[in-house]
Amino acid sequence: MNNNEIKELEFEKKLWLVVIFAAALSILGDDLEEHFIIDHDENAEKNAKKIFIFTIVISIFIYLYYVNRNYKQYELSKIKNDGNTTLQLIRLAGSILIVVGVIFILYFEVNEKKPIGSPVI
């Protein structure tokens, strides 16, 4: 394992902390949405929506990191000609599809008028 791979793994450990933070925020958003449903507190619903949009934006940046990493691995695989190029391309395509899906979720969350639960990302 070279130095770059170790740095990449260390960075990904930090990304997991961001994911945990985003998950905790989503739990808070669910609680606010529950409060809105029970008490009809529109302020709670607005705050929940802001939290959900924020967590989706965080996840887009995380997934973009993985798209970039998978693209680099795909390019390296082409240079090495090690027979894994097709698998790396499939991995890259899958990560791109995830980003596209999360962008659709963000669009839906921004434009949805009624609360329907936290967005699944």
Side-chain angles (χ1 to χ4, degrees):
M1 210 178 251
N2 65 29
N3 239 3
N4 286 338
E5 290 172 325
I6 291 173
K7 286 180 184 177
E8 197 171 87
L9 287 173
E10 290 298 321
F11 179 76
E12 289 179 13
K13 287 179 188 178
K14 293 173 185 161
L15 272 182
W16 278 111
L17 294 175
V18 173
V19 169
I20 291 168
F21 175 71
L25 281 177
S26 290
I27 292 169
L28 174 63
D30 282 342
D31 286 345
L32 289 170
E33 203 161 277
E34 184 179 335
H35 180 68
F36 165 72
I37 292 169
I38 293 170
D39 299 332
H40 304 289
D41 181 1
E42 290 187 21
N43 193 37
E45 192 253 343
K46 288 177 185 176
N47 288 334
K49 189 173 196 76
K50 288 177 187 175
I51 288 172
F52 294 145
I53 289 170
F54 180 69
T55 58
I56 294 170
V57 170
I58 288 173
S59 68
I60 288 173
F61 284 114
I62 291 170
Y63 292 131
L64 284 174
Y65 163 77
Y66 285 112
V67 167
N68 183 47
R69 186 193 69 177
N70 291 340
Y71 176 75
K72 288 177 184 176
Q73 289 177 349
Y74 169 69
E75 288 296 316
L76 186 61
S77 177
K78 283 188 345 186
I79 292 168
K80 287 182 178 179
N81 198 15
D82 60 3
N84 285 330
T85 305
T86 303
L87 290 174
Q88 294 298 333
L89 181 60
I90 292 169
R91 183 185 216 172
L92 174 61
S95 58
I96 290 170
L97 286 174
I98 289 172
V99 170
V100 170
V102 174
I103 290 170
F104 285 147
I105 291 171
L106 177 62
Y107 176 81
F108 179 80
E109 186 65 32
V110 167
N111 292 301
E112 179 63 28
K113 302 299 180 210
K114 295 186 290 185
I116 57 161
S118 61
V120 179
I121 49 175

mmCIF file of all heavy atoms in Angstrom, residues 61-100:
data_model
loop_
_atom_site.group_PDB
_atom_site.id
_atom_site.type_symbol
_atom_site.label_atom_id
_atom_site.label_comp_id
_atom_site.label_asym_id
_atom_site.label_seq_id
_atom_site.Cartn_x
_atom_site.Cartn_y
_atom_site.Cartn_z
ATOM 1 N N PHE A 61 -21.974 15.845 -1.919
ATOM 2 C CA PHE A 61 -20.531 16.065 -1.891
ATOM 3 C C PHE A 61 -19.768 14.779 -1.568
ATOM 4 O O PHE A 61 -18.713 14.505 -2.153
ATOM 5 C CB PHE A 61 -20.159 17.179 -0.916
ATOM 6 C CG PHE A 61 -20.460 18.546 -1.440
ATOM 7 C CD1 PHE A 61 -21.433 19.329 -0.839
ATOM 8 C CD2 PHE A 61 -19.793 19.051 -2.540
ATOM 9 C CE1 PHE A 61 -21.727 20.590 -1.323
ATOM 10 C CE2 PHE A 61 -20.075 20.311 -3.038
ATOM 11 C CZ PHE A 61 -21.040 21.082 -2.428
ATOM 12 N N ILE A 62 -20.316 13.979 -0.662
ATOM 13 C CA ILE A 62 -19.662 12.710 -0.338
ATOM 14 C C ILE A 62 -19.649 11.792 -1.559
ATOM 15 O O ILE A 62 -18.619 11.212 -1.905
ATOM 16 C CB ILE A 62 -20.372 12.029 0.851
ATOM 17 C CG1 ILE A 62 -20.115 12.830 2.127
ATOM 18 C CG2 ILE A 62 -19.906 10.576 1.011
ATOM 19 C CD1 ILE A 62 -20.943 12.398 3.313
ATOM 20 N N TYR A 63 -20.789 11.687 -2.229
ATOM 21 C CA TYR A 63 -20.850 10.820 -3.405
ATOM 22 C C TYR A 63 -19.999 11.353 -4.551
ATOM 23 O O TYR A 63 -19.442 10.566 -5.327
ATOM 24 C CB TYR A 63 -22.301 10.613 -3.850
ATOM 25 C CG TYR A 63 -23.117 9.812 -2.877
ATOM 26 C CD1 TYR A 63 -24.364 10.242 -2.456
ATOM 27 C CD2 TYR A 63 -22.640 8.616 -2.350
ATOM 28 C CE1 TYR A 63 -25.116 9.503 -1.558
ATOM 29 C CE2 TYR A 63 -23.384 7.872 -1.445
ATOM 30 C CZ TYR A 63 -24.620 8.322 -1.062
ATOM 31 O OH TYR A 63 -25.357 7.593 -0.170
ATOM 32 N N LEU A 64 -19.882 12.664 -4.674
ATOM 33 C CA LEU A 64 -18.998 13.223 -5.705
ATOM 34 C C LEU A 64 -17.541 12.847 -5.433
ATOM 35 O O LEU A 64 -16.775 12.597 -6.371
ATOM 36 C CB LEU A 64 -19.157 14.737 -5.793
ATOM 37 C CG LEU A 64 -20.414 15.227 -6.490
ATOM 38 C CD1 LEU A 64 -20.525 16.749 -6.372
ATOM 39 C CD2 LEU A 64 -20.440 14.804 -7.953
ATOM 40 N N TYR A 65 -17.167 12.801 -4.173
ATOM 41 C CA TYR A 65 -15.820 12.338 -3.831
ATOM 42 C C TYR A 65 -15.624 10.918 -4.358
ATOM 43 O O TYR A 65 -14.586 10.597 -4.950
ATOM 44 C CB TYR A 65 -15.593 12.383 -2.315
ATOM 45 C CG TYR A 65 -14.413 11.548 -1.903
ATOM 46 C CD1 TYR A 65 -13.114 12.015 -2.094
ATOM 47 C CD2 TYR A 65 -14.587 10.271 -1.370
ATOM 48 C CE1 TYR A 65 -12.017 11.229 -1.747
ATOM 49 C CE2 TYR A 65 -13.508 9.492 -1.020
ATOM 50 C CZ TYR A 65 -12.224 9.969 -1.211
ATOM 51 O OH TYR A 65 -11.150 9.192 -0.885
ATOM 52 N N TYR A 66 -16.614 10.045 -4.135
ATOM 53 C CA TYR A 66 -16.480 8.663 -4.590
ATOM 54 C C TYR A 66 -16.492 8.546 -6.115
ATOM 55 O O TYR A 66 -15.807 7.685 -6.671
ATOM 56 C CB TYR A 66 -17.552 7.775 -3.951
ATOM 57 C CG TYR A 66 -17.236 7.482 -2.503
ATOM 58 C CD1 TYR A 66 -18.024 8.000 -1.489
ATOM 59 C CD2 TYR A 66 -16.141 6.723 -2.147
ATOM 60 C CE1 TYR A 66 -17.730 7.755 -0.159
ATOM 61 C CE2 TYR A 66 -15.830 6.468 -0.828
ATOM 62 C CZ TYR A 66 -16.624 6.981 0.166
ATOM 63 O OH TYR A 66 -16.320 6.742 1.473
ATOM 64 N N VAL A 67 -17.242 9.392 -6.783
ATOM 65 C CA VAL A 67 -17.187 9.406 -8.251
ATOM 66 C C VAL A 67 -15.773 9.753 -8.699
ATOM 67 O O VAL A 67 -15.213 9.089 -9.583
ATOM 68 C CB VAL A 67 -18.212 10.404 -8.851
ATOM 69 C CG1 VAL A 67 -17.938 10.645 -10.326
ATOM 70 C CG2 VAL A 67 -19.634 9.904 -8.658
ATOM 71 N N ASN A 68 -15.199 10.769 -8.082
ATOM 72 C CA ASN A 68 -13.839 11.177 -8.435
ATOM 73 C C ASN A 68 -12.840 10.051 -8.158
ATOM 74 O O ASN A 68 -11.979 9.751 -8.988
ATOM 75 C CB ASN A 68 -13.458 12.439 -7.659
ATOM 76 C CG ASN A 68 -12.092 12.954 -8.033
ATOM 77 O OD1 ASN A 68 -11.761 13.069 -9.201
ATOM 78 N ND2 ASN A 68 -11.297 13.267 -7.031
ATOM 79 N N ARG A 69 -12.960 9.412 -7.003
ATOM 80 C CA ARG A 69 -12.065 8.309 -6.667
ATOM 81 C C ARG A 69 -12.217 7.154 -7.646
ATOM 82 O O ARG A 69 -11.236 6.588 -8.131
ATOM 83 C CB ARG A 69 -12.341 7.817 -5.255
ATOM 84 C CG ARG A 69 -11.312 6.759 -4.816
ATOM 85 C CD ARG A 69 -11.737 6.048 -3.595
ATOM 86 N NE ARG A 69 -12.890 5.201 -3.931
ATOM 87 C CZ ARG A 69 -13.472 4.397 -3.077
ATOM 88 N NH1 ARG A 69 -13.089 4.364 -1.829
ATOM 89 N NH2 ARG A 69 -14.485 3.649 -3.443
ATOM 90 N N ASN A 70 -13.468 6.819 -7.993
ATOM 91 C CA ASN A 70 -13.698 5.720 -8.925
ATOM 92 C C ASN A 70 -13.218 6.050 -10.329
ATOM 93 O O ASN A 70 -12.750 5.172 -11.051
ATOM 94 C CB ASN A 70 -15.177 5.338 -8.927
ATOM 95 C CG ASN A 70 -15.599 4.685 -7.632
ATOM 96 O OD1 ASN A 70 -14.772 4.186 -6.874
ATOM 97 N ND2 ASN A 70 -16.881 4.715 -7.350
ATOM 98 N N TYR A 71 -13.316 7.315 -10.714
ATOM 99 C CA TYR A 71 -12.791 7.729 -12.014
ATOM 100 C C TYR A 71 -11.270 7.562 -12.051
ATOM 101 O O TYR A 71 -10.723 7.051 -13.037
ATOM 102 C CB TYR A 71 -13.180 9.178 -12.317
ATOM 103 C CG TYR A 71 -12.582 9.681 -13.610
ATOM 104 C CD1 TYR A 71 -13.094 9.265 -14.837
ATOM 105 C CD2 TYR A 71 -11.495 10.538 -13.613
ATOM 106 C CE1 TYR A 71 -12.549 9.699 -16.032
ATOM 107 C CE2 TYR A 71 -10.939 10.981 -14.802
ATOM 108 C CZ TYR A 71 -11.464 10.557 -15.999
ATOM 109 O OH TYR A 71 -10.906 10.983 -17.179
ATOM 110 N N LYS A 72 -10.601 7.968 -10.993
ATOM 111 C CA LYS A 72 -9.140 7.804 -10.934
ATOM 112 C C LYS A 72 -8.755 6.332 -10.996
ATOM 113 O O LYS A 72 -7.786 5.959 -11.677
ATOM 114 C CB LYS A 72 -8.585 8.442 -9.659
ATOM 115 C CG LYS A 72 -8.603 9.948 -9.675
ATOM 116 C CD LYS A 72 -8.098 10.500 -8.355
ATOM 117 C CE LYS A 72 -8.188 12.008 -8.312
ATOM 118 N NZ LYS A 72 -7.786 12.546 -6.989
ATOM 119 N N GLN A 73 -9.491 5.481 -10.301
ATOM 120 C CA GLN A 73 -9.205 4.052 -10.334
ATOM 121 C C GLN A 73 -9.461 3.469 -11.724
ATOM 122 O O GLN A 73 -8.718 2.599 -12.177
ATOM 123 C CB GLN A 73 -10.030 3.321 -9.279
ATOM 124 C CG GLN A 73 -9.568 3.613 -7.874
ATOM 125 C CD GLN A 73 -10.420 2.949 -6.818
ATOM 126 O OE1 GLN A 73 -11.498 2.412 -7.110
ATOM 127 N NE2 GLN A 73 -9.957 2.986 -5.584
ATOM 128 N N TYR A 74 -10.488 3.962 -12.393
ATOM 129 C CA TYR A 74 -10.774 3.516 -13.756
ATOM 130 C C TYR A 74 -9.636 3.910 -14.693
ATOM 131 O O TYR A 74 -9.157 3.087 -15.485
ATOM 132 C CB TYR A 74 -12.108 4.108 -14.225
ATOM 133 C CG TYR A 74 -12.370 3.932 -15.695
ATOM 134 C CD1 TYR A 74 -12.614 2.672 -16.231
ATOM 135 C CD2 TYR A 74 -12.374 5.021 -16.559
ATOM 136 C CE1 TYR A 74 -12.848 2.501 -17.585
ATOM 137 C CE2 TYR A 74 -12.611 4.867 -17.905
ATOM 138 C CZ TYR A 74 -12.843 3.605 -18.424
ATOM 139 O OH TYR A 74 -13.070 3.446 -19.764
ATOM 140 N N GLU A 75 -9.195 5.161 -14.607
ATOM 141 C CA GLU A 75 -8.093 5.623 -15.457
ATOM 142 C C GLU A 75 -6.813 4.834 -15.176
ATOM 143 O O GLU A 75 -6.091 4.470 -16.107
ATOM 144 C CB GLU A 75 -7.852 7.123 -15.254
ATOM 145 C CG GLU A 75 -8.934 8.002 -15.845
ATOM 146 C CD GLU A 75 -9.021 7.895 -17.353
ATOM 147 O OE1 GLU A 75 -7.967 7.895 -18.019
ATOM 148 O OE2 GLU A 75 -10.156 7.819 -17.876
ATOM 149 N N LEU A 76 -6.531 4.560 -13.909
ATOM 150 C CA LEU A 76 -5.353 3.785 -13.542
ATOM 151 C C LEU A 76 -5.456 2.366 -14.088
ATOM 152 O O LEU A 76 -4.467 1.809 -14.568
ATOM 153 C CB LEU A 76 -5.200 3.771 -12.015
ATOM 154 C CG LEU A 76 -3.952 3.117 -11.453
ATOM 155 C CD1 LEU A 76 -2.699 3.843 -11.947
ATOM 156 C CD2 LEU A 76 -4.004 3.125 -9.942
ATOM 157 N N SER A 77 -6.650 1.809 -14.051
ATOM 158 C CA SER A 77 -6.864 0.471 -14.578
ATOM 159 C C SER A 77 -6.623 0.422 -16.085
ATOM 160 O O SER A 77 -6.078 -0.556 -16.599
ATOM 161 C CB SER A 77 -8.278 0.004 -14.253
ATOM 162 O OG SER A 77 -8.533 -1.256 -14.809
ATOM 163 N N LYS A 78 -7.011 1.482 -16.785
ATOM 164 C CA LYS A 78 -6.753 1.538 -18.230
ATOM 165 C C LYS A 78 -5.252 1.593 -18.506
ATOM 166 O O LYS A 78 -4.765 0.950 -19.437
ATOM 167 C CB LYS A 78 -7.433 2.761 -18.858
ATOM 168 C CG LYS A 78 -8.918 2.581 -19.034
ATOM 169 C CD LYS A 78 -9.650 3.647 -19.810
ATOM 170 C CE LYS A 78 -8.992 4.937 -20.073
ATOM 171 N NZ LYS A 78 -9.838 5.944 -20.715
ATOM 172 N N ILE A 79 -4.525 2.351 -17.704
ATOM 173 C CA ILE A 79 -3.084 2.473 -17.902
ATOM 174 C C ILE A 79 -2.379 1.145 -17.601
ATOM 175 O O ILE A 79 -1.511 0.706 -18.360
ATOM 176 C CB ILE A 79 -2.500 3.603 -17.014
ATOM 177 C CG1 ILE A 79 -3.004 4.958 -17.503
ATOM 178 C CG2 ILE A 79 -0.980 3.573 -17.003
ATOM 179 C CD1 ILE A 79 -2.730 6.104 -16.546
ATOM 180 N N LYS A 80 -2.772 0.497 -16.517
ATOM 181 C CA LYS A 80 -2.155 -0.775 -16.125
ATOM 182 C C LYS A 80 -2.540 -1.914 -17.057
ATOM 183 O O LYS A 80 -1.829 -2.898 -17.162
ATOM 184 C CB LYS A 80 -2.559 -1.147 -14.698
ATOM 185 C CG LYS A 80 -1.907 -0.336 -13.635
ATOM 186 C CD LYS A 80 -2.355 -0.846 -12.277
ATOM 187 C CE LYS A 80 -1.711 -0.118 -11.136
ATOM 188 N NZ LYS A 80 -2.175 -0.606 -9.828
ATOM 189 N N ASN A 81 -3.723 -1.774 -17.700
ATOM 190 C CA ASN A 81 -4.253 -2.815 -18.573
ATOM 191 C C ASN A 81 -4.281 -4.157 -17.827
ATOM 192 O O ASN A 81 -3.796 -5.165 -18.311
ATOM 193 C CB ASN A 81 -3.441 -2.902 -19.865
ATOM 194 C CG ASN A 81 -4.193 -3.630 -20.955
ATOM 195 O OD1 ASN A 81 -5.400 -3.829 -20.867
ATOM 196 N ND2 ASN A 81 -3.474 -4.037 -21.983
ATOM 197 N N ASP A 82 -4.855 -4.126 -16.625
ATOM 198 C CA ASP A 82 -4.827 -5.289 -15.751
ATOM 199 C C ASP A 82 -6.064 -6.187 -15.848
ATOM 200 O O ASP A 82 -6.230 -7.109 -15.073
ATOM 201 C CB ASP A 82 -4.624 -4.843 -14.299
ATOM 202 C CG ASP A 82 -5.723 -3.920 -13.806
ATOM 203 O OD1 ASP A 82 -6.677 -3.660 -14.551
ATOM 204 O OD2 ASP A 82 -5.618 -3.452 -12.656
ATOM 205 N N GLY A 83 -6.947 -5.898 -16.787
ATOM 206 C CA GLY A 83 -8.134 -6.729 -16.961
ATOM 207 C C GLY A 83 -9.317 -6.318 -16.100
ATOM 208 O O GLY A 83 -10.379 -6.911 -16.199
ATOM 209 N N ASN A 84 -9.139 -5.326 -15.239
ATOM 210 C CA ASN A 84 -10.221 -4.867 -14.371
ATOM 211 C C ASN A 84 -10.904 -3.610 -14.897
ATOM 212 O O ASN A 84 -11.728 -3.038 -14.198
ATOM 213 C CB ASN A 84 -9.689 -4.582 -12.960
ATOM 214 C CG ASN A 84 -9.417 -5.848 -12.192
ATOM 215 O OD1 ASN A 84 -10.066 -6.862 -12.404
ATOM 216 N ND2 ASN A 84 -8.439 -5.796 -11.313
ATOM 217 N N THR A 85 -10.580 -3.209 -16.102
ATOM 218 C CA THR A 85 -11.110 -1.956 -16.633
ATOM 219 C C THR A 85 -12.633 -1.977 -16.707
ATOM 220 O O THR A 85 -13.287 -0.993 -16.342
ATOM 221 C CB THR A 85 -10.502 -1.667 -18.021
ATOM 222 O OG1 THR A 85 -9.083 -1.688 -17.899
ATOM 223 C CG2 THR A 85 -10.934 -0.323 -18.549
ATOM 224 N N THR A 86 -13.197 -3.077 -17.149
ATOM 225 C CA THR A 86 -14.658 -3.168 -17.253
ATOM 226 C C THR A 86 -15.303 -3.070 -15.871
ATOM 227 O O THR A 86 -16.299 -2.359 -15.694
ATOM 228 C CB THR A 86 -15.078 -4.475 -17.943
ATOM 229 O OG1 THR A 86 -14.454 -4.536 -19.222
ATOM 230 C CG2 THR A 86 -16.580 -4.562 -18.100
ATOM 231 N N LEU A 87 -14.731 -3.757 -14.906
ATOM 232 C CA LEU A 87 -15.277 -3.690 -13.545
ATOM 233 C C LEU A 87 -15.166 -2.272 -12.987
ATOM 234 O O LEU A 87 -16.091 -1.790 -12.325
ATOM 235 C CB LEU A 87 -14.538 -4.670 -12.630
ATOM 236 C CG LEU A 87 -14.794 -6.146 -12.898
ATOM 237 C CD1 LEU A 87 -13.897 -7.005 -12.011
ATOM 238 C CD2 LEU A 87 -16.242 -6.494 -12.689
ATOM 239 N N GLN A 88 -14.050 -1.608 -13.236
ATOM 240 C CA GLN A 88 -13.882 -0.237 -12.753
ATOM 241 C C GLN A 88 -14.863 0.708 -13.439
ATOM 242 O O GLN A 88 -15.367 1.647 -12.823
ATOM 243 C CB GLN A 88 -12.438 0.240 -12.967
ATOM 244 C CG GLN A 88 -11.414 -0.496 -12.132
ATOM 245 C CD GLN A 88 -11.612 -0.320 -10.643
ATOM 246 O OE1 GLN A 88 -12.159 0.667 -10.179
ATOM 247 N NE2 GLN A 88 -11.178 -1.299 -9.877
ATOM 248 N N LEU A 89 -15.143 0.459 -14.723
ATOM 249 C CA LEU A 89 -16.122 1.278 -15.443
ATOM 250 C C LEU A 89 -17.525 1.079 -14.868
ATOM 251 O O LEU A 89 -18.279 2.046 -14.709
ATOM 252 C CB LEU A 89 -16.102 0.940 -16.938
ATOM 253 C CG LEU A 89 -17.056 1.734 -17.819
ATOM 254 C CD1 LEU A 89 -16.744 3.226 -17.744
ATOM 255 C CD2 LEU A 89 -16.970 1.232 -19.250
ATOM 256 N N ILE A 90 -17.868 -0.155 -14.534
ATOM 257 C CA ILE A 90 -19.170 -0.432 -13.917
ATOM 258 C C ILE A 90 -19.264 0.266 -12.566
ATOM 259 O O ILE A 90 -20.294 0.870 -12.230
ATOM 260 C CB ILE A 90 -19.391 -1.952 -13.781
ATOM 261 C CG1 ILE A 90 -19.559 -2.573 -15.167
ATOM 262 C CG2 ILE A 90 -20.593 -2.263 -12.887
ATOM 263 C CD1 ILE A 90 -19.516 -4.094 -15.178
ATOM 264 N N ARG A 91 -18.194 0.218 -11.806
ATOM 265 C CA ARG A 91 -18.157 0.898 -10.504
ATOM 266 C C ARG A 91 -18.341 2.403 -10.672
ATOM 267 O O ARG A 91 -19.091 3.037 -9.929
ATOM 268 C CB ARG A 91 -16.825 0.587 -9.837
ATOM 269 C CG ARG A 91 -16.662 1.153 -8.484
ATOM 270 C CD ARG A 91 -15.245 0.871 -8.010
ATOM 271 N NE ARG A 91 -15.226 0.611 -6.601
ATOM 272 C CZ ARG A 91 -14.175 0.195 -5.942
ATOM 273 N NH1 ARG A 91 -13.058 -0.049 -6.583
ATOM 274 N NH2 ARG A 91 -14.224 0.022 -4.642
ATOM 275 N N LEU A 92 -17.659 2.985 -11.650
ATOM 276 C CA LEU A 92 -17.782 4.415 -11.925
ATOM 277 C C LEU A 92 -19.208 4.758 -12.353
ATOM 278 O O LEU A 92 -19.796 5.731 -11.857
ATOM 279 C CB LEU A 92 -16.778 4.837 -12.999
ATOM 280 C CG LEU A 92 -16.857 6.273 -13.503
ATOM 281 C CD1 LEU A 92 -16.607 7.260 -12.375
ATOM 282 C CD2 LEU A 92 -15.860 6.484 -14.635
ATOM 283 N N ALA A 93 -19.774 3.963 -13.249
ATOM 284 C CA ALA A 93 -21.139 4.215 -13.713
ATOM 285 C C ALA A 93 -22.138 4.133 -12.554
ATOM 286 O O ALA A 93 -23.047 4.960 -12.449
ATOM 287 C CB ALA A 93 -21.518 3.222 -14.810
ATOM 288 N N GLY A 94 -21.949 3.161 -11.668
ATOM 289 C CA GLY A 94 -22.834 3.034 -10.512
ATOM 290 C C GLY A 94 -22.756 4.242 -9.593
ATOM 291 O O GLY A 94 -23.771 4.748 -9.118
ATOM 292 N N SER A 95 -21.546 4.737 -9.366
ATOM 293 C CA SER A 95 -21.412 5.898 -8.481
ATOM 294 C C SER A 95 -22.002 7.151 -9.132
ATOM 295 O O SER A 95 -22.568 7.997 -8.438
ATOM 296 C CB SER A 95 -19.949 6.105 -8.066
ATOM 297 O OG SER A 95 -19.111 6.287 -9.169
ATOM 298 N N ILE A 96 -21.907 7.252 -10.448
ATOM 299 C CA ILE A 96 -22.529 8.384 -11.147
ATOM 300 C C ILE A 96 -24.050 8.300 -11.023
ATOM 301 O O ILE A 96 -24.728 9.311 -10.783
ATOM 302 C CB ILE A 96 -22.084 8.437 -12.624
ATOM 303 C CG1 ILE A 96 -20.610 8.840 -12.710
ATOM 304 C CG2 ILE A 96 -22.949 9.398 -13.437
ATOM 305 C CD1 ILE A 96 -19.997 8.695 -14.090
ATOM 306 N N LEU A 97 -24.599 7.096 -11.160
ATOM 307 C CA LEU A 97 -26.049 6.928 -11.021
ATOM 308 C C LEU A 97 -26.524 7.296 -9.618
ATOM 309 O O LEU A 97 -27.609 7.872 -9.451
ATOM 310 C CB LEU A 97 -26.454 5.492 -11.353
ATOM 311 C CG LEU A 97 -26.428 5.120 -12.829
ATOM 312 C CD1 LEU A 97 -26.703 3.628 -13.003
ATOM 313 C CD2 LEU A 97 -27.424 5.941 -13.609
ATOM 314 N N ILE A 98 -25.716 6.982 -8.609
ATOM 315 C CA ILE A 98 -26.079 7.361 -7.240
ATOM 316 C C ILE A 98 -26.154 8.875 -7.118
ATOM 317 O O ILE A 98 -27.094 9.416 -6.526
ATOM 318 C CB ILE A 98 -25.092 6.755 -6.226
ATOM 319 C CG1 ILE A 98 -25.298 5.239 -6.143
ATOM 320 C CG2 ILE A 98 -25.251 7.394 -4.853
ATOM 321 C CD1 ILE A 98 -24.257 4.515 -5.319
ATOM 322 N N VAL A 99 -25.183 9.585 -7.678
ATOM 323 C CA VAL A 99 -25.189 11.056 -7.620
ATOM 324 C C VAL A 99 -26.429 11.601 -8.316
ATOM 325 O O VAL A 99 -27.105 12.495 -7.792
ATOM 326 C CB VAL A 99 -23.900 11.649 -8.226
ATOM 327 C CG1 VAL A 99 -24.008 13.161 -8.380
ATOM 328 C CG2 VAL A 99 -22.702 11.305 -7.359
ATOM 329 N N VAL A 100 -26.749 11.056 -9.471
ATOM 330 C CA VAL A 100 -27.937 11.505 -10.198
ATOM 331 C C VAL A 100 -29.189 11.254 -9.358
ATOM 332 O O VAL A 100 -30.061 12.128 -9.253
ATOM 333 C CB VAL A 100 -28.032 10.806 -11.579
ATOM 334 C CG1 VAL A 100 -29.371 11.065 -12.246
ATOM 335 C CG2 VAL A 100 -26.891 11.261 -12.480
#
